[in-house]
Amino acid sequence: MAEDPPPDLLSLMQQYGAVHLYPLRKKARTPGTRADYVEWLRQRVHEFTEIAQAEGLKAPGVDDLRED
């Protein structure tokens, strides 16, 4: 999902996700944009991939997501 986010990602994340992004922009918190959610997802994929690799785990599709 992080590599090819659906067009309705923002509404899906708000409806089913427990994460609601309100980034600080120009000293005011505003609701997150689709781009904010995509970046957040990509960061989590990267983090969890690194954790899995450090633990010696290999999940299906990890090679496709790795940023070398």
Side-chain angles (χ1 to χ4, degrees):
M1 182 169 14
E3 291 303 312
D4 187 20
D8 59 343
L9 174 68
L10 186 56
S11 63
L12 288 172
M13 290 287 292
Q14 290 173 341
Q15 183 177 357
Y16 298 107
V19 175
H20 300 279
L21 302 177
Y22 290 91
L24 186 61
R25 291 193 179 95
K26 296 184 181 180
K27 299 184 180 182
R29 292 204 180 275
T30 58
T33 64
R34 183 178 188 278
D36 293 325
Y37 280 84
V38 170
E39 181 58 28
W40 182 87
L41 283 171
R42 288 184 176 154
Q43 289 174 1
R44 300 300 71 78
V45 168
H46 181 74
E47 272 181 35
F48 286 116
T49 299
E50 285 185 343
I51 291 167
Q53 289 171 345
E55 295 296 322
L57 303 174
K58 175 138 173 60
V62 166
D63 290 334
D64 298 334
L65 300 174
R66 195 178 327 174
E67 299 175 8
D68 292 318

